[in-house]
Amino acid sequence: MMLFDFFILLRQELMITAIIFLLLFIKLGKERNNETILLLVNIFLFVNLAVGFCCNTEGAIFSGMFTTNTLVVFEKNILNLAIWIISMQSYAWLKTHKQVIEFYLLLLSSLLGMFFMISSGNLLMFYLGLEMSTIPLAAAANFDLAKRQSSEAALKLIISSAFSSGLLLFGISFIYGTTGTLVFSEMATQITNQPLQLFAFILLFSGFAFKISAVPFHLWTADVYEGAPVAVTSFLSVVSKAAVVFVLVSVLYTVFKSLSEVWYNIVFLIALLTIIVGNLFAIRQNNMKRFLAFSSIAQVGFILIGIAGSSQKGTASVIYFLLIYVFSNLAAFGVVSLVSAIKGKENISDYKAFYTTNPMLAWVLTIALFSLAGVPPTAGFFGKFFLLLAGTEKGSYWPITIAALNMVISFYYYLRVVKAMFMDSNEQPIGKIVIPGFSKIALFICVIGIIVTGLFSWIYDYIFSLSPSF
Amino acid sequence: MNEIPLSYILFVSTALFFIGMYGLFTRRNMITMLMAIELMLNSVNINFVAFNKYLFPEKLDGIFFTIFIITIAAAEAAVAIAIIIHLYRNHKSIDVDDASELKF
Amino acid sequence: MNLSLLIILPFITAMGILLSTGLKQVRIVALAGSFVQLGAAIFLLIQYWQERSAGNHSPMLFDVTYVWFAALHINYHIGVDGISIAMILLTASVVVAGILVSWDMEKLHKEFFFLLILLSLGAYGFFISLDLFTLFFFLEIAVIPKFLLIGIWGSGKKEYSAMKLALMLMAGTALIFVGLMGVYYAAHSFDIMEISQMHLPIEVQKFFFPFAFLGFGIFAALFPFHTWVPDGHASAPTAASMFLAGISMKLGGYGCLRVATFLMPDAAHAYSWIIILLATIAIIYGAFATMMQTDLKYINAYSSISHCGFVILGIGMLTQTSINGAVIQMVSHGLMTALFFAAIGMIYSRTHTRMVAQLGGLLKVMPFISTLFVIAGLCSLGLPGFSGFVAEMTVFMGSWQNPDTLYRIATILACASIVVTAVYILRATGKTIMGPISNTYSHLTDATWNEKLAAGILVAGIVLIGVAPFLINQLIVPGTENIMLQIGKAITIK
Amino acid sequence: MSASAIIFYLIAAFILGAGILSVTATKIFRSAIWLLFSLVGIAALYFWMQVEFIAAIQIIVYVGGIVVLIIFSIFLTQQSGKEMPKPSLQKVLFSILAALFGFLFSFQLIYEFGFNRMTNSPFNVTVETIGTQMLSTTEHGYILPFEVVSMLLLAAMIGCIVIAMKSNDEIANPHAESDAKLMIHTSISSLQNEKEK
Amino acid sequence: MSNYFYIVLIPLLPLATFLVLGIFGRKHFNALSGILGTFSLGVSTVLSFVAAQQYFFVDGKVNGIYQKIIAFKYTWLEFSPTVSIDMGIIVDPISVMMLIVVCFVSLMVHVFSLGYMKGEERFATYYAFLSLFTFSMLGLVLSSNIFQVYIFWELVGVSSFLLIGYYFEKPSAVAAAKKAFIVTRFADLGFLIGILILAFYGESLDIGTLIERLTSLQTYQFINITTAGFLGVSMLTWGLALVFIGGAGKSAMFPLHIWLPDAMEGPTPVSALIHAATMVVAGVYLVARLFPIFSMDGSALQIITYTGVFSALFAAIIACTQTDIKRVLAYSTMSQIGYMMFALGVAKQGGENGLGYMASMFHLFTHAFFKSLLFLGAGAVIHMVHSNDMKDMGGLRKLMPITHMAFLIACLAIAGIPPFAGFFSKEEILLAAYHSNKLIYGVALFTAALTAFYMFRLYFSIFWSKESHLHNTHGEGPLSMKIPLIILAICAIGVGFVPFSSFISSDGKGLDTHIDILFSIAPVGLTILSILLAANLYKNENAKPAKIATSMGILYQAAHKKFYIDELYLFITQKVIFPFIGQPIAWIDKNIIDGFMNLLSTITGEISEKIKQLQSGKVQQYALYFFGGISLLAVLFIYWWK
C-alpha cells in the first residue's frame, strides 16, 4: 500500500495531531492573548472539518487495527463539526480563562481517541481509544479550577470511568479467552451464546452503556454535567456520546450479530428504562445543565430503540438522529453557556421572562428544545420518528407505545422551560446579553441545521446509502 | 507446572477482581479507592497473560494487551491522583462522602 | 390547481409577518394573507366543480406526489376530495374571522399573528395530505402553536390549561403514531390511497384501529378524553378559542374518518358499538354538563364536546348518510363555535366578565353582538335555516338506518340532547342577552367594523349551509361514497 | 504434588491475602504497603508463568511508579498515620454481597466453560519478539497502539500539570507537579527500555 | 300544474319583509315598517284568496274529487336516493283553507298592531318577527314533505319564542318565552322520532308517498311497519303516537299545555295571531294532514280522542276560575282545540265517517275568526285599562261600544248560539262524537256548557258588573284598531254559513251536511242556561261568586291553581333534573374524569420524588448500582431468557 494512502486514510487523525502540536508550540512560544489564540484555534478546527470532507477512500491499515470507510469518515465529520461549534460557543467562557490551550489540547486528544475508537479494527485499539477519550475529559472537567463542584465532577468521572473500564476489561479478557482473538472480524465467527460469552458481552455492553449513560449506568452523568464547565458538558453530552454510539452500532451489528436476538431484548429493556428514568428525573430539575443532562439521557433511550431495530434503517436513523442531536443539543447548550458565562445564571427559574430581554436567544433555545422534544418542523421530529420507525421493525409494539407515551412526559419538561421563558413573569430577569460573534455564528449554524436537516431528505438518503445493510 | 489447570489461575484473578471491587465499594478514602481499582486492573492482566500462555500461545495478543493496560492504568492513576489532590485543596478532605454536593 | 399553494401561502404570510414591524403592518399583512388563502380555497372549490362536472371521477383530485424520504417509502403526496375541500374552506374562513377579531391585539402582536398563521398552515397541510407521514407531520405542527397561544395570551389559569391541552394532544399523537407504525409495517407504505387499495389483515386492523381512533378521538374531544377542551377553550384568547374549536377539533374528526375508518374498515365495524357508546355518552353528558356551567366560554366548550359527539356518532354508525352528517357537522360546528366564541369575546372585551350571572339585557346596548349570540345559539340548538339543523338531522337520519335496537336507542338519546341543548342555550341567552340590564353596562358600544366583518363571514357560512344544504351535500358525497366503498368491502369480506 | 504447584499455591495465597488486607486495613499507609505486596505477588505469578518481561514491567511501573505515586499523594494529603473512617455497616454488607455474588457467578460461568483445551505448543515470549512486534507495521505489529498510547500519555501529562499546578495567586506546590512528571517519566521509561530491545 | 306556481310568493313575500325590516328596518324606517309589513302581507292575502278561488271553483275538482296538487317541488337535502327533504308546495282543500285563515287573521293583526304597538322603540323588529312568523306558518301549511313540516314547525316555534320575548326586559316575558320554546321543543323530539320511524319504514319523507304506501294493506312497507314492534306495540302506532305528541305540544294538549297561558306575556295581537288562531292549531292541522295514516291505526286515534276531550274539559274548568282575562282566553283556546282534536279522533277515513274530520277543520276555521276577535277585543280593553285583571275592569260597555259589540258577538259565537259561526262547527263536532261514542258526547256537551259559562263570566265582568271608575281619556283607540274588530265581527257572524263540508272532507269528495234541529236542542239549551247563570252571577257586582267559590272549597282552589301542573313541572326540572342529573355530571366531570387526568400527572411527580434517592451523589453507590445492573442483566439473560 502506498505511503500516500496512509496519509489519506489517516488524514483526520493526522489533522488533529497536527493541531495538537501546533498548539503545543504556541504554548511554548511567547505569551499571546486569548483572542488571537481562540481565533487561530477556531480557524484550525474549521480547516480540520473541511479536510474531513475531501477525498474519501476506504481501507484497513496496520493489519486491520485501523479501518475506515465513507460512513466512518462521515461520523468523524459530524464529530469535527460538533467540536468546532462547541469551541465557538465556549468563546465567552474561554476568553478570560488562563489555560485555554491546555483545554483545547485535552479536548482534541480526547477527540483523537474517539477517532481511533471509531475506526478501530480490534479490541485493543477500541480500548485505547476509549481510555484516550475519557482520561483527558476527566482532566478537562476540572477546568473551573476555582469551583469545588468542578473538581467533584472530575473525581466522579474519573473514578466511575475507571471502574467501568475495569469491568469492560474483565469482559474483554473473557472474550479473548473464549475466542482467542482481539480482531473484530475474526471474533464475529466465534461468538456463540455460551453463558460466559454472554456474560462477557454484557460486561462489554455495560462499558458502552456507561459511556452513553444509559440507565442504570448513567448515575455519574447528571453530577458531572452539572459540575463541569459548560463547554466540557456539551462535549460530553454530544461528542463522546455520539462517538460511542457509532462504535456501539457497528460492534453490535457486526461482531455480536450472532447474539442479535439476545441483545435485541437487552437493548430494548435498557432503552425503556433509560427513557422512563431520564424523564422522571428531568421533570424535577431546576439547574439547566442538570436538566439537559437528564433530557440527554432520555434521548439516549430513544437512540437505543433505534439501535434495537437492527437493520439498515436502524443504522441510518441512529446516525441521522445523532447529527440532528448535535445541532439541537448544541444550540441549547450554546444559549445556556452564554447565559452562565456572561450572567452566571444556570437555573430554569432564572430564565423566567427571558423572552422579554433576549428574544433572539429565547427563540433559539425554544427551537432547540422543540427539536429535542421532536416537534415539527424542526429536525428533531424526523429524527425521533425515524428512530421509532426503525425500532418497530421487529414488531414489538407495546414497548414502542410506552416510548411514545413517554414523549409526552418529555414534552412536559421541555415545555416547562418554554413556559418559563415566555409566560412567567420575573422581577429581575436576565439582562440583555451581547452575543459574541463566534457564538452568533455557532448558534446560527445550529438553527440552520435544525431546520434543514429534517426537511431536506437528501441528508437522510445519503446516510442511508452509506450505512451497511444488517 | 502443567498440573496447575488454567481455572486455578482464573480463580485467583477473579477473586482478586472482586476483592478490588469490594474495596472500591467500601473504602471512603479516595486514594484507597484508587488502589482498589489498581487491584482490579491487575487481575485482568493476570487473565490476559494466563489466557495467552495457556490457550493461544501462538500469538502474543494477551501480552501486549497487558502492557497497554499497565500503561493506561498508570496514566489513569496519575490523572486521578492529580484530581484528588486538587479536590483536597478545595474540600480539605479526601473522604469520598464529602464530595457529594451534586445530587438528585 | 397546485395544492401546495395552500401550504406556501400561509408560509409566505408568516414570513411577511416576521418581516413587518408594528401592529398596523403586522395585522394588515396577516389579514391580506388570510384573505388570499380564502380566495385560494374558493378558487380550489371552483376548480373542483369544473373537474367533477367535466366527468373526472377519480377519488382524489389535483393529487401530486413527490418522493420525500425514498429509503422509507415516505412521499409528499397531496390531493383533495370534497371532504377535504369543505374542511379547507372552513379553515380559511375561520382564519380570516380569527384575525379580524384579534385586530387590536397589543401584546406581542407579531408572535400572535405568526402563531395563528402557523396553526392554519398545519391545518391546511393536514387536510390535503394523502400520505400518513405528511399528515402526521402537519398534525403535530398544529399542536404547539396552541400551547403558546393559550399560555402567553390566555386568561385565567392559562399555564395549566395550555400544558394540559398540549400534553393530552401529544398523548393523542403518540397513540396515532403507534397506529401509523402498525399500518406501515402491515402495508409497507404510508400512502393512504395505496393502503386503501390493499386490504390489511383483520388482526392488524383490530390491534391498531383503537390506537389510531383513540388518538384522533382525543383531538375530537372523545369521551372520556375531552377534559382538555373546557379548560383549553376557556383560557384561550378569543381567536385561539375560535381556532381550537373551529379547526383543531376538526383535525380529530377528519383523522378518525380518513385514517382510522377509511384504512381499517373491518376494525371500524368490529368496534363501532364502542364508538357509538362513547359518542352517545359524550353527547348526553356534555349537554348536561353544559347546563351546569356559569361561564360563557365553559358553556360553549362543553357544548362543543356534545356537538363533536355527533361527529363521532356519525362516523361510528358507518352509513353513508351518517358519515355525510358527520362531515357536515364538522363544518357546521366549526363555523358555529367560532361565531359563538367570537361573540363571547366581543362581549368579554366590553364587559370584562364572562359570568352569566353578572350579565344581562345586553340586547339593549349592543344589538348586533346580541344578535350574533342568538344566531350562534339557535344554530347550536339546531334551528332550521342554520347549518346545525342540517348536520344533526343528517346524522340522525343516517344513524336511524341501522336497524339494531341498541343503535336505535343511541340515536334516540342523541336526539334527546337537542332538548337539553335548547335548555342551556336559552338559559344563557335569557340571562345575558335578555332581562333587565344593569346600568354598569348601559354605556357600552356595539361591534366595530372588523368584528362585524368577521361575524359576517361566519354567519354567511352558517346560513348558506342551512338554507342550501344540497350544495355542501353534493360537495362531500363523492368523498363519503369513496369511504363507504371501503366499508362495503369490509362487510363483504366478513 | 510438584514444587511449582506448591509455589503457585503460595503465590496465590500471598496475592489474595495481601489484596484482602490492602482493602481492609484501617491505616491508609499500611493498606498501601499491602497493595505493594499484592502487586509484587502478581509479579511473582508472572515469573512463575515464565513471562519475565511482563513481570519486570509490573515491578517497574506498579511498584516503582504507581505505588510510589500513591504514597506521595498520601503524604501530600497528610493522612499517613491516622485511622481511616469506618464504612457504614450496611454499605459493607451490600458490598460483600455484591462482591461474593459477582465472584461466585462469574467463577461458576468460568468453571462451566472449563477452559480444558490445553495446547502444549511452546510459548516463548522473548524480549526481542515483543520489541519488534511493538514497532512493526506489518502483521501482528503494534506500532499504532504504541503511538496512540504515547499521545494519551502526553494528554494525561498535560492534564495532570494543569490540574495539579497551583494557580498563580497561590504559592506553587512543587510536589504535585513533580508527582505528575515523575509518574509520566516512569511509565514512558518503561516503554523506552522496550524500544531499546 | 305549474299554474299554481304563484303560490310560492305567498310565503316568500313575508320572508322578504322579514329580511328587509330585520336588517335595515330599525335604523332607517322604523315608523314606516308597519305600513310596509301590512302592505306586503295584504298582497299575500289577495294572492291566497285568488288561489282559493282558483282551486275551489275553477280547476281544483277533477271528476268530483278535490285533487292534491304539488305546485312546486325542489330537492333540498338528499339523505339517500329514496329519502330526501323536498321543499314543495301542496295545494289541497285544507292547505288552501289554512292559507286563507293564516293570511287573513295575520293581516287583521298587522292592521290592529299599527295602532296598538304605536311608538314602540322596536316597532320594526316587531313587524319583522310578525312577518317571520307568517312566513313560517304559511310554509308549514303548504308543506308537501313531512320533514319540511318539521322545519317550519321549528321556525314557528322560534318566531313565537321571539314574539313572546318581545318585551325582553321583563323577566316574566323571558321566562315565558323560554318555557314555550322548551316545552314545544320537548314535544318536537317526539315528532322527530316519529318522523324517523315513518321515514324508515315508509322509505320516504314525502307525505303523499307515505300516505299511499302506509294506507294500502298490500305494500311491504305497510306490512313491515305493522309487524315490526317495540314493547309489544306496532311501529305504526309508535310513529303516529310520537308524531301526535309533537302536535299535542304545539296545540297545548294536556299535559303539554303549560306554556300556553304564560305565553300571554307577549303583546296581545301576537296572542291573537299565534296563540289563538294559527300556530296552536298546527297540531290539529298536522294530524289532519296525516289523517289517512292515522285512520289506519285505531289505537293512535284513541289516544288523540281521549287527549283531546280531556284537555277540552280540563281547560274549561280552569278557565272558569281565572281572573286574568288573557289567561281565560288562553284556556278557552286550549279547550276549543281539544274539541278539534277529538273530533279528528272520532273520525274515520272517507264518506259519512269522515264527518269528524270535516267538523274539526270547520271548527278550526270558525274558531280562528272569533278567537282572534276575542283576543283583539281583549287587547283593546287592556290598551284602555292597562291591566289584564278582571278586578280592574267593569262597565266598559259605555266607554268602548264597538269593542263591546264585537266582544259580545265573539262570545255568542264561541258559545255556539245560532246563527253565529261557532254554532255550526260545534254542532258538527257534537254530531260526530254522538255517532261514535256517547261518553265523549256527554263530556263534550258539558264542556260546551262550561264554555258558555266562563265566556259570559268574562264578558259580564268586563263590560257590566261594577260601574267603571276610569273616565274616557283617549277613546277606543285609533281607527286601525277598530276596523279589524269590525271585520272580524262580521266574519264571526258570517263564516258559519260557508258550505264548508262541500269543500273539505276526509276524501276530497265533499259531503252534504244539514243542521238537525232536534239534535241541536240539547246543546243550545244547555248553553243558554249557563249564559243565564253567568248573567245572574256576574251581571252586577255581588258576593255570590265568592260564596260559591268557598263552597266548592278545595276543588275551586285546585282549579284556580291550574291543578298544580306548573308546580309539578317546576318540581321535576328544578328539584330533579338539575340537582340529580346535571350537578352530578358536572361534579363527575370536574372531579373524577378531569381528576384522573390530573392524578396521572401528580403520580408521575410523586414517583420522580420517590426515586430521586437513586441519585445520591455518592460515587460508590453509583458503582454499586452499576454492578447491580450488570448482575441483573446477566442473571436475566443468561438463565431466564432461554
XYZ file of all heavy atoms in Angstrom, chain B residues 18 21 24-27 33 96 99-100 102-104, chain E residues 612-620 622-624 627:
216
model
N -12.726 -9.196 42.385
C -13.864 -8.828 43.245
C -13.412 -8.303 44.586
O -14.109 -7.503 45.209
C -14.834 -9.990 43.343
C -15.616 -10.163 42.076
C -15.277 -11.120 41.152
C -16.640 -9.289 41.769
C -15.973 -11.238 39.964
C -17.339 -9.404 40.595
C -17.003 -10.393 39.680
N -13.091 -4.849 43.780
C -14.414 -4.218 43.699
C -14.943 -3.936 45.098
O -15.452 -2.852 45.393
C -15.369 -5.121 42.939
C -16.717 -4.495 42.691
S -17.820 -5.610 41.853
C -17.214 -5.440 40.199
N -13.380 -0.952 46.369
C -13.920 0.264 45.758
C -15.247 0.642 46.406
O -15.537 1.797 46.660
C -14.119 0.022 44.263
C -14.604 1.239 43.498
C -13.464 2.203 43.330
C -15.165 0.843 42.153
N -16.031 -0.398 46.704
C -17.343 -0.105 47.278
C -17.230 0.452 48.685
O -17.980 1.331 49.089
C -18.207 -1.364 47.286
C -18.692 -1.768 45.928
C -19.102 -3.062 45.677
C -18.730 -0.847 44.898
C -19.536 -3.425 44.418
C -19.161 -1.207 43.652
C -19.570 -2.507 43.407
N -16.277 -0.102 49.450
C -16.315 0.215 50.879
C -15.413 1.374 51.251
O -15.751 2.148 52.133
C -15.889 -1.009 51.698
O -14.671 -1.485 51.116
C -16.934 -2.086 51.629
N -14.260 1.500 50.630
C -13.292 2.494 51.106
C -13.830 3.893 50.929
O -14.297 4.241 49.828
C -11.985 2.338 50.314
C -11.267 1.060 50.613
C -10.898 1.044 52.062
N -9.876 0.024 52.288
C -8.957 0.145 53.236
N -8.919 1.206 53.996
N -8.078 -0.822 53.414
N -9.550 3.975 47.303
C -10.394 3.540 46.185
C -9.540 3.333 44.954
O -9.669 2.349 44.225
C -11.477 4.592 45.912
C -12.581 4.606 46.936
S -13.620 6.040 46.723
C -14.520 5.540 45.284
N -14.635 10.417 50.285
C -15.470 10.482 49.080
C -16.883 10.937 49.423
O -17.551 11.582 48.635
C -15.475 9.125 48.366
C -16.228 8.106 49.181
C -16.068 9.253 46.985
N -17.493 14.547 49.093
C -17.612 15.075 47.729
C -18.931 14.611 47.123
O -18.967 13.841 46.174
C -16.444 14.590 46.886
N -20.024 15.032 47.772
C -21.334 14.639 47.212
C -22.280 15.825 47.294
O -23.381 15.732 47.815
C -21.894 13.445 47.989
O -22.016 13.804 49.345
N -23.191 17.459 44.550
C -24.028 17.325 43.352
C -24.873 16.080 43.497
O -24.343 14.978 43.552
C -23.146 17.210 42.115
C -22.154 18.333 41.916
C -21.102 17.914 40.939
C -22.867 19.558 41.449
N -26.171 16.260 43.619
C -27.013 15.068 43.729
C -28.442 15.393 43.295
O -28.759 16.520 42.977
C -26.997 14.543 45.148
C -27.449 15.546 46.196
C -27.382 14.897 47.556
C -27.074 15.929 48.628
N -26.630 15.346 49.854
N -29.248 14.346 43.322
C -30.679 14.419 42.950
C -30.838 14.966 41.538
O -31.341 16.052 41.335
C -31.464 15.249 43.954
C -31.343 14.720 45.330
C -31.348 15.561 46.412
C -31.174 13.350 45.534
C -31.231 15.057 47.695
C -31.057 12.829 46.821
C -31.076 13.690 47.907
N -35.702 9.868 43.566
C -34.544 10.753 43.426
C -33.401 10.293 44.320
O -32.256 10.699 44.114
C -34.941 12.189 43.744
C -35.002 12.548 45.214
C -35.356 14.016 45.352
C -35.392 14.430 46.805
N -35.885 15.803 46.961
N -33.696 9.404 45.269
C -32.621 8.897 46.128
C -31.589 8.102 45.330
O -30.447 7.967 45.751
C -33.202 8.015 47.234
C -33.911 8.806 48.307
C -33.001 9.877 48.893
O -31.805 9.712 48.949
N -33.600 10.991 49.293
N -32.002 7.573 44.192
C -31.021 6.860 43.358
C -29.808 7.732 43.115
O -28.672 7.298 43.203
C -31.662 6.520 42.003
C -32.580 5.317 41.924
C -33.152 5.206 40.526
C -31.815 4.061 42.252
N -30.087 8.983 42.870
C -29.013 9.914 42.514
C -28.469 10.529 43.800
O -28.607 11.698 44.055
C -29.589 11.001 41.609
C -28.546 11.758 40.822
C -28.164 11.037 39.572
O -28.978 10.338 38.981
N -26.907 11.173 39.183
N -27.821 9.676 44.639
C -27.484 10.135 45.984
C -26.261 11.030 45.977
O -25.920 11.609 47.000
C -27.202 8.925 46.870
O -26.089 8.256 46.322
N -25.550 11.103 44.866
C -24.346 11.920 44.827
C -23.119 11.205 45.363
O -22.026 11.751 45.360
N -23.299 9.972 45.836
C -22.150 9.216 46.373
C -21.663 8.258 45.298
O -22.403 7.358 44.882
C -22.569 8.446 47.621
C -23.009 9.363 48.744
C -23.123 8.602 50.022
C -23.254 9.527 51.208
N -24.222 10.626 50.955
N -20.417 8.467 44.875
C -19.946 7.753 43.693
C -19.878 6.257 43.964
O -20.108 5.435 43.079
C -18.591 8.314 43.252
C -17.513 7.971 44.236
C -18.230 7.802 41.875
N -19.662 5.885 45.213
C -19.588 4.445 45.493
C -20.933 3.775 45.254
O -21.015 2.693 44.676
C -19.133 4.221 46.923
C -17.656 4.456 47.070
C -17.224 4.386 48.499
O -17.928 4.856 49.385
N -16.073 3.786 48.722
N -23.073 4.761 43.173
C -23.224 4.651 41.725
C -22.582 3.362 41.242
O -23.169 2.584 40.477
C -22.562 5.838 41.020
C -23.178 7.171 41.305
C -22.615 8.330 40.815
C -24.336 7.284 42.059
C -23.164 9.571 41.074
C -24.897 8.505 42.322
C -24.302 9.646 41.837
O -24.852 10.861 42.090
N -21.361 3.131 41.727
C -20.659 1.919 41.297
C -21.469 0.691 41.673
O -21.625 -0.247 40.884
C -19.290 1.877 41.950
N -22.041 0.747 42.870
C -22.830 -0.407 43.325
C -23.991 -0.646 42.374
O -24.216 -1.759 41.891
C -23.334 -0.139 44.738
C -23.757 -1.346 45.561
C -22.627 -2.356 45.598
C -24.112 -0.922 46.967
N -22.819 -2.152 39.136
C -22.611 -3.593 39.167
C -23.934 -4.331 39.322
O -24.160 -5.370 38.700
C -21.672 -3.955 40.319
C -21.319 -5.407 40.325
C -20.558 -5.947 39.311
C -21.793 -6.245 41.318
C -20.252 -7.282 39.298
C -21.494 -7.589 41.309
C -20.719 -8.107 40.293
